[in-house]
Amino acid sequence: SQKIEQNSEALNIQEGKTATLTCNYTNYSPAYLQWYRQDPGRGPVFLLLIRENEKEKRKERLKVTFDTTLKQSLFHITASQPADSATYLCALESRSTLGRLYFGRGTQLTVWP
Amino acid sequence: SQTIHQWPATLVQPVGSPLSLECTVEGTSNPNLYWYRQAAGRGLQLLFYSVGIGQISSEVPQNLSASRPQDRQFILSSKKLLLSDSGFYLCAWSLALTVRNTEAFFGQGTRLTVV
């Protein structure tokens, strides 16, 4: 069966450290992989998109890597701040079902001062 | 700029009652439209997907239906709600397949509690 697994439900780190979140997928051939941020009671907000032929993408303090051999994406937040505390969702769009976006359960990140 | 409106923000409905949630998008044409549900402690589950007026794809069998009567309007309905329909419902849109960037833009969500 198809799965998108974010292997940490919760991650707690100290301010200033780098947060690393993991997304693994099974039985998908993703054309794109995306990361979203979701705050409590709100809809997810897009952060970064990486394509199947890209290894790494950066945006300010955010970095995403994509390894189609390992079937894994890593999401890094450097110099983390308490304002980065939120749930981060991994989503992918498969080549066989373009336009449909499937999400993992998310990892709740807490950055403490 | 594009905006997405979803209402109501919260809803409490008795079991067996009907449901209608509405979502509208402004500032874009021919968007892909989505309905997701997020149950407590679970991820976003794709319920329905639409590429155009009257074109609806259902992802999972369920007690819900969707309609797209206009290009930028997407409606989620049920004739008789079940307790298991409780959850956080999110509408989203993205650009059509011919455009490379396919990020999704979400509404603020509707918190539905079936009692």
Side-chain angles (χ1 to χ4, degrees):
Chain A
S1 63
Q2 294 178 313
K3 292 182 183 178
I4 303 171
E5 295 178 307
Q6 296 186 245
N7 63 351
S8 297
E9 285 194 8
L11 180 64
N12 299 309
I13 64 168
Q14 188 177 21
E15 183 176 10
K17 302 291 186 184
T18 296
T20 298
L21 286 66
T22 305
C23 175
N24 295 287
Y25 58 91
T26 307
N27 292 328
Y28 282 101
S29 297
Y32 309 96
L33 192 143
Q34 305 180 30
W35 285 87
Y36 289 76
R37 169 183 173 142
Q38 186 176 24
D39 291 290
R42 308 291 294 270
V45 174
F46 170 78
L47 295 174
L48 279 171
L49 178 152
I50 188 165
R51 297 184 172 85
E52 59 179 326
N53 59 350
E54 297 176 321
K55 296 293 185 185
E56 183 179 297
K57 209 71 163 296
R58 292 176 184 261
K59 178 182 176 182
E60 298 173 351
R61 295 185 295 113
L62 308 180
K63 184 177 84 170
V64 172
T65 62
F66 193 11
D67 189 326
T68 55
T69 301
L70 291 178
K71 300 186 187 301
Q72 181 181 80
S73 174
L74 299 179
F75 177 76
H76 307 271
I77 306 175
T78 58
S80 59
Q81 305 166 0
D84 294 326
S85 299
T87 296
Y88 291 86
L89 304 169
C90 162
L92 61 81
E93 184 176 349
S94 180
R95 274 186 262 119
S96 61
T97 54
L98 284 176
R100 303 185 192 206
L101 202 55
Y102 298 99
F103 283 81
R105 287 192 178 190
T107 296
Q108 185 174 350
L109 173 67
T110 301
V111 181
W112 45 279
Chain B
S1 64
Q2 302 92 354
T3 56
I4 179 169
H5 302 280
Q6 186 182 343
W7 66 92
T10 59
L11 193 59
V12 179
Q13 292 284 99
V15 169
S17 64
L19 173 73
S20 181
L21 301 180
E22 189 164 342
C23 171
T24 59
V25 179
E26 296 177 356
T28 188
S29 297
N30 195 32
N32 294 333
L33 295 173
Y34 310 85
W35 278 111
Y36 286 88
R37 177 171 58 203
Q38 191 171 35
R42 302 186 64 179
L44 269 68
Q45 181 185 31
L46 179 60
L47 302 177
F48 297 98
Y49 165 64
S50 172
V51 297
I53 296 173
Q55 300 179 65
I56 311 292
S57 297
S58 174
E59 283 290 306
V60 293
Q62 58 207 318
N63 184 42
L64 302 168
S65 62
S67 62
R68 184 171 178 174
Q70 300 180 44
D71 181 44
R72 290 169 288 177
Q73 184 185 27
F74 207 21
I75 298 171
L76 183 69
S77 304
S78 174
K79 293 182 179 178
K80 290 185 178 181
L81 284 168
L82 306 172
L83 286 174
S84 58
D85 292 325
S86 294
F88 190 45
Y89 288 82
L90 289 155
C91 179
W93 73 273
S94 69
L95 291 173
L97 292 175
T98 53
V99 181
R100 293 292 289 176
N101 291 332
T102 60
E103 62 190 90
F105 300 90
F106 285 83
Q108 290 304 299
T110 296
R111 175 75 58 190
L112 172 66
T113 304
V114 182
V115 297

